[in-house]
Amino acid sequence: MFLTERRSAAAFGIGMMRIRKYLHLNPSEFLAVLKPAAYGSIIMSIAGVAVKYLTVHTGARWNAVLSISAAIVTYGIVSYFNDKNLYAEIKANFFNTRPNFT
C-alpha cells in the first residue's frame, strides 16, 4: 500500500508540473490558484473527522452519512466565502439569468 501511495504522489506531482508549464504560470501563481481549494479541503476534512467522532454512537451507516454530509456542506461554505462570484455565476446559469458581480 505504501508503494501505491508513493506512485500516486509522484504522478500527482508530475501532472501538476505539466499543467503549470502548459498554463505558463510561475510557481507562486500556480500555488496561489491552488490555495483556496487546499484550504477548503483541509477544513472539510477536519469537519468530517470531527462529526465522525462526535457521532460514533449512531452506527457505521449513519456515522458515514453524517460525516460525509458535514464535509460536503463545510466545503461548500468555505468555497462560497473564497469565491462569491463563482456562486453568482452558478446561480445565474442555473436560473438562466445574468450574474450580478457587485
Side-chain angles (χ1 to χ4, degrees):
M1 185 153 126
F2 182 69
L3 184 60
T4 304
E5 292 169 354
R6 289 176 54 194
R7 286 181 185 163
S8 296
F12 177 78
I14 291 168
M16 290 295 109
M17 288 189 305
R18 286 183 178 170
I19 290 170
R20 186 181 65 79
K21 287 180 183 179
Y22 178 76
L23 296 176
H24 306 292
L25 297 173
N26 65 38
S28 62
E29 291 173 327
F30 188 68
L31 292 175
V33 170
L34 293 178
K35 194 183 300 184
Y39 287 147
S41 297
I42 291 167
I43 294 170
M44 173 194 69
S45 298
I46 292 168
V49 170
V51 170
K52 177 183 174 185
Y53 286 110
L54 291 173
T55 59
V56 169
H57 63 281
T58 61
R61 188 172 296 154
W62 280 108
N63 190 314
V65 168
L66 292 172
S67 62
I68 292 169
S69 299
I72 290 170
V73 169
T74 303
Y75 191 82
I77 291 169
V78 171
S79 297
Y80 174 76
F81 285 113
N82 277 334
D83 190 2
K84 293 180 183 179
N85 290 336
L86 174 65
Y87 279 85
E89 188 175 336
I90 291 170
K91 183 179 175 184
N93 286 330
F94 185 73
F95 292 111
N96 208 14
T97 60
R98 293 184 157 248
N100 182 12
F101 294 117
T102 57

